[in-house]
Amino acid sequence: MTTAAKQDPLPVRVSILGATGSIGQSAVKVARLFPDRVKIVGLGANENVDALIPLIREFNPSLVAVGSETARQKLYNSLQSGIPIETGEAGLEALAVHSGADIILMGVVGAVGLKPGLAALNAGKRLALANKEPMVMAGALFSAAAAAGGGEIIPVDSEHSALFQLIAGERRDNIRRLILTASGGPFRETPLSELKKVTRAQALKHPTWEMGPKITIDSATLMNKALEIIEAHFLFGFSADEIDAVIHPQSVVHSLLETQDGAYLAHLGKTDMQVPIQYAFSHPARWITDAHRVPLWELGKLEFLPPDEKKFPALALAKATLRAGGAAPAIFSAANEIAVEAFLADKLAYLEIVPLGAKVLDKLGAPAASTLEAVLEADAAARKEAAALI
Ligand code: MG
């Protein structure tokens, strides 16, 4: 008999940035599944006050944040309570360093998670990171902040959660490659010649995962996988040559390791973001539940296909940004955010989304990214350049 593993203090106290988005909604389900183990102490949303109000009533957090003064007024008028309501960037930061929170769940979209993510790590928090752009922009700064503040990063992105769990069981020098699975998005079987005419509605239909609009478009272009290659590099310290993507339409295998002796170790299960969110809350424990169990035979047939690099240039570009180093990944990601916004506003064609990032990289190169200021400067330059090119 082995002795019981060290028990972590329960409940874990969680502050959620992006509570009304898809990650936030999944996190709330985990909290409902484990009312004795998860206490939500902070809730933040941008403008969706109507969705935030019932969450505040249900979980009674000690701090709330919204995007604007208008949203704050609306929330205050509805709640009529003394709960502190912060706004804007300062509000996100307040949630990230909330003294009553052990875990900060970063479920916001895009670069906006950068400063609060660093603040959480500097404050010694566990950062449950679902938002990949900050890691792509400033991966080295995130590691430095965790080391300086005593915080830790537990990835929530399903692929990285899988890799985090797989890597824990292997010696570093036993691992040959990290392999990220990609569903291939809605256009996996669409010939390149037909991608020209792709509309916003078609691109917003993801075959297996339900997610917000930005990440759904990124899944269609495989830009999401490209950003995940960069994210994996910074999270786990593997080089561009040691990280690959494979098309796996069923999204049942969440990622794999290839070992030096040619074995594949895979993480598979239900395609539901509650699973990695729960793991980020429970790590190093695993909380007992039947809620996420699936009989193996219900997982169905599993396929693995090589990615078509002509159709999906984002993967090779991601590796190129890692080889270039500095702020190249940040520039690539920022240009993509602008390109996706433009596509969603019918101002850019689908096939021009990823090439726009390449053009901006050509123009700006790989400036240094050793300080937050340098990263933000590169980010701003990339957005400006991208907007000018549209
Ligand atoms: Mg993912």
Side-chain angles (χ1 to χ4, degrees), residues 132 157-159 224-225 228:
K132 61 191 54 129
D157 208 350
S158 62
E159 295 80 358
N224 185 53
K225 212 51 51 183
E228 288 179 357

Side-chain angles (χ1 to χ4, degrees), residues 374-385:
V375 168
L376 293 175
E377 208 172 288
D379 175 85
R383 285 166 196 274
K384 202 171 150 201
E385 189 60 35

Side-chain angles (χ1 to χ4, degrees), residues 190-199 202 343 348-352:
T190 311
L192 185 57
S193 57
E194 280 175 34
L195 288 178
K196 270 199 247 5
K197 307 172 285 199
V198 161
T199 63
Q202 289 170 315
F343 171 72
L348 189 72
Y350 174 80
L351 274 185
E352 286 166 18

Side-chain angles (χ1 to χ4, degrees), residues 151-203:
E152 62 177 346
I153 305 168
I154 309 287
V156 166
D157 208 350
S158 62
E159 295 80 358
H160 302 81
S161 174
L163 289 171
F164 181 86
Q165 295 171 54
L166 290 165
I167 288 169
E170 274 303 326
R171 259 171 39 187
R172 171 66 180 87
D173 62 349
N174 286 343
I175 301 169
R176 184 188 299 259
R177 278 194 304 159
L178 310 183
I179 304 170
L180 296 149
T181 49
S183 72
F187 309 128
R188 180 171 58 85
E189 292 182 321
T190 311
L192 185 57
S193 57
E194 280 175 34
L195 288 178
K196 270 199 247 5
K197 307 172 285 199
V198 161
T199 63
R200 182 173 53 177
Q202 289 170 315

Side-chain angles (χ1 to χ4, degrees), residues 116-134:
L118 289 171
L121 291 170
N122 274 315
K125 308 292 188 190
R126 169 178 294 186
L127 180 62
L129 187 62
N131 166 225
K132 61 191 54 129
E133 288 85 352

Side-chain angles (χ1 to χ4, degrees), residues 81-119:
S81 79
I83 182 171
I85 307 172
E86 305 277 345
T87 55
E89 252 189 57
L92 287 177
E93 186 128 349
L95 284 176
V97 301
H98 188 337
S99 62
D102 315 300
I103 299 176
I104 309 303
L105 176 63
M106 189 62 70
V108 299
V109 176
V112 71
L114 176 58
K115 282 188 194 167
L118 289 171

